[in-house]
Amino acid sequence: MERPLILIANDDGYKAKGINSLIDMVRDMGDVLVCAPEGGRSGFACAFSATTPLTLTLRHREEGVEVWSCNGTPVDCVKMALAELCPRKPDLVLGGINHGDNASVNTHYSGTMGVTMEGCMKYIPSVAFSLCDYRADADFEPLRPYVRQMVQRVLREGLPTGVCLNVNFPLAPAFQGVKVCRMAKGTWGNEVTRCHHPRGYDYWWMVGQYTNDEPEAADTDNWALGHGYVAITPTQVDVTAYEALANMKDWEQ
């Protein structure tokens, strides 16, 4: 019987501890093909390189695991892997494990979620994993049993067409459990910091401070993470606002 093919990408780069931890967690579940950016590509969301030539570099190969890097975005990595590297259609696409959370509106900016959305748009069951720890040497080991259980279940049961999973882990290793929840409403403020260069010109850093706009709502990913739970948010490709669609029928002519 043919082993499942698992395609893995991220937005932190192929050297990141998160993606290498993920490889180790799932390598016995199937053949693992990795195509990840050459360096950090956080915040690239679903961007792809329409005007820049792309390259692929083989970084590592052993039985059951092959690692490639691409000079493009996370989505480029998935597209390139599907077009040039995969011997067949993958059974699963995994994004991460990201250094830092991708809850609430971060979903829209996340390159990790870009990986997962791209897989989903190709009708491949796809899951993104993120940990609320930005440190390069973050401890991913407490995630292992949860990641393995979720991957096994998705390989066994699949996911609805057009739906992928955004999985976020809290920082505390003693998780309280797992919550399936919705995306919290939140906003970013103070996003631009001005600095002055010694040579006489100004420059800016994109930084920012996140605010949970509904902190008491117990059905959200932010609440789950804040209370020590692993947050699973089913996320769909179709972004149509169906209630507004129904209410706007009188606009038609």
Side-chain angles (χ1 to χ4, degrees):
M1 183 175 178
E2 197 170 47
R3 282 160 53 90
L5 177 61
I6 302 173
L7 173 60
I8 300 179
N10 72 348
D11 68 2
D12 292 315
Y14 76 97
K15 293 181 181 179
K17 186 176 180 181
I19 194 171
N20 285 285
S21 296
L22 180 58
I23 294 166
D24 185 64
M25 291 174 190
V26 304
R27 60 184 301 160
D28 66 318
M29 299 182 191
D31 293 326
V32 174
L33 175 64
V34 179
C35 187
E38 292 179 348
R41 302 288 190 273
S42 293
F44 273 67
C46 288
F48 66 95
S49 300
T51 59
T52 304
L54 297 173
T55 61
L56 288 169
T57 304
L58 178 62
R59 299 293 180 174
H60 178 73
R61 179 183 284 151
E62 61 182 277
E63 186 174 357
V65 178
E66 194 167 287
V67 179
W68 293 76
S69 69
C70 174
N71 65 324
T73 71
V75 166
D76 287 334
C77 292
V78 178
K79 290 181 180 293
M80 290 289 284
L82 294 175
E84 299 293 331
L85 302 176
C86 291
R88 61 186 186 278
K89 184 175 180 179
D91 299 279
L92 181 66
V93 170
L94 299 179
I97 301 171
N98 192 64
H99 293 248
D101 81 271
N102 281 310
S104 184
V105 294
N106 292 345
T107 302
H108 297 295
Y109 302 115
S110 164
T112 306
M113 281 302 295
V115 167
T116 308
M117 293 294 283
E118 183 66 22
C120 192
M121 286 188 282
K122 296 292 193 293
Y123 305 110
I124 304 169
S126 302
V127 184
F129 295 110
S130 303
L131 172 64
C132 295
D133 191 340
Y134 289 92
R135 296 176 300 170
D137 196 34
D139 182 10
F140 294 95
E141 193 57 30
L143 284 58
R144 181 181 293 271
Y146 296 88
V147 169
R148 287 181 59 82
Q149 183 180 44
M150 292 177 199
V151 168
Q152 287 169 343
R153 184 159 188 170
V154 173
L155 282 173
R156 183 175 64 249
E157 301 176 9
L159 289 169
T161 300
V163 173
C164 57
L165 300 182
N166 181 15
V167 182
N168 287 276
F169 291 85
L171 182 57
F175 304 133
Q176 298 299 310
V178 177
K179 294 282 188 184
V180 179
C181 44
R182 66 178 175 87
M183 185 177 78
K185 297 181 177 69
T187 50
W188 282 90
N190 303 319
E191 293 183 273
V192 178
T193 296
R194 181 198 298 261
C195 303
H196 189 73
H197 197 278
R199 294 187 177 178
Y201 60 88
D202 289 337
Y203 63 96
W204 291 261
W205 283 104
M206 297 296 293
V207 286
Q209 181 178 357
Y210 174 76
T211 300
N212 181 0
D213 294 330
E214 44 179 353
E216 303 306 317
D219 61 340
T220 71
D221 50 9
N222 279 168
W223 187 96
L225 293 170
H227 289 78
Y229 289 91
V230 180
I232 303 178
T233 303
T235 304
Q236 63 184 20
V237 172
D238 183 355
V239 295
T240 305
Y242 284 97
E243 184 177 352
L245 180 68
N247 292 336
M248 291 177 67
K249 286 299 182 182
D250 61 345
W251 288 42
E252 296 182 348
Q253 296 182 8

